[in-house]
Amino acid sequence: MAVPDRRIEASESNRTVIIVVAVIAAVVIAGLFYGLMRFAGSGRNVETGLQGAFRAGSPQFDANKPNIVLDEPEATEAKRALGDIVMSLQTTVRNLTGKTLTGLEIHAAVVDYEKKPIKERTVVVIPTRQAELAPNKTMQVNVLLDGMSDSDARANIVMEVTGFKFKE
């Protein structure tokens, strides 16, 4: 009779060990995925600005910004399996300056009803995505904004030129 009792005790202790190891493994895997999603999302939003660009306040910026035209931006949104919302903002840039653009920086944002940004991102589209933009030419610009939730009051989208450089 002693032999069957030992088998029951051994099988219960093995079962307990397996359950504990499975729970620990699940917690570690979930933590790993959470960490990867947090770090991957924040890394994409960090980009260096356009070096040596004309910026707001400079006479060249004020004189040429009206001739670098952005069409009315459009947006599409999708919900990811992780539960957050990703929005893709698109616009067309028109170079009406008469000079070739060798650098272009655009700021994109999703704002709430008080025009405060919910998510924003500044991207360098020239020369990062295209080498240059000749006079009287256009190019499509897409900016991806992620990490929004259903509770965010997404009232509007905004895209604007924040810096540019010309071919010398």
Side-chain angles (χ1 to χ4, degrees):
M1 286 281 208
V3 174
D5 290 337
R6 287 185 188 154
R7 287 182 187 166
I8 292 172
E9 289 175 15
S11 111
E12 284 183 19
S13 67
N14 284 344
R15 202 174 297 144
T16 304
V17 169
I18 291 170
I19 291 171
V20 168
V21 169
V23 167
I24 291 172
V27 169
V28 167
I29 290 170
L32 179 67
F33 277 113
Y34 177 76
L36 287 174
M37 291 306 300
R38 295 292 288 176
F39 293 125
S42 65
R44 281 184 291 175
N45 292 336
V46 177
E47 289 192 21
T48 60
L50 184 62
Q51 300 299 319
F54 297 123
R55 304 230 176 250
S58 74
Q60 295 89 345
F61 185 85
D62 296 335
N64 290 296
K65 185 175 185 270
N67 296 321
I68 302 172
V69 179
L70 299 180
D71 287 355
E72 190 67 30
E74 297 178 3
T76 57
E77 71 176 51
K79 191 164 184 126
R80 290 196 290 193
L82 298 171
D84 68 334
I85 294 174
V86 178
M87 291 186 74
S88 175
L89 282 58
Q90 305 95 22
T91 190
T92 300
V93 178
R94 300 179 190 286
N95 180 10
L96 306 175
T97 62
K99 304 173 189 172
T100 300
L101 285 170
T102 58
L104 181 63
E105 181 182 273
I106 294 180
H107 179 260
V110 175
V111 296
D112 62 10
Y113 292 104
E114 298 171 355
K115 301 201 189 259
K116 294 179 185 172
I118 296 170
K119 285 290 177 178
E120 58 187 340
R121 185 174 178 200
T122 301
V123 294
V124 176
V125 294
I126 299 173
T128 306
R129 299 181 188 170
Q130 182 173 317
E132 58 186 31
L133 185 61
N136 300 317
K137 297 294 181 182
T138 64
M139 80 177 277
Q140 290 290 105
V141 175
N142 296 316
V143 179
L144 190 68
L145 300 173
D146 60 352
M148 290 172 274
S149 67
D150 287 330
S151 62
D152 291 333
R154 300 178 308 277
N156 201 2
I157 56 173
V158 178
M159 292 181 84
E160 63 183 348
V161 174
T162 55
F164 53 84
K165 292 184 346 184
F166 293 116
K167 191 174 199 175
E168 295 178 12

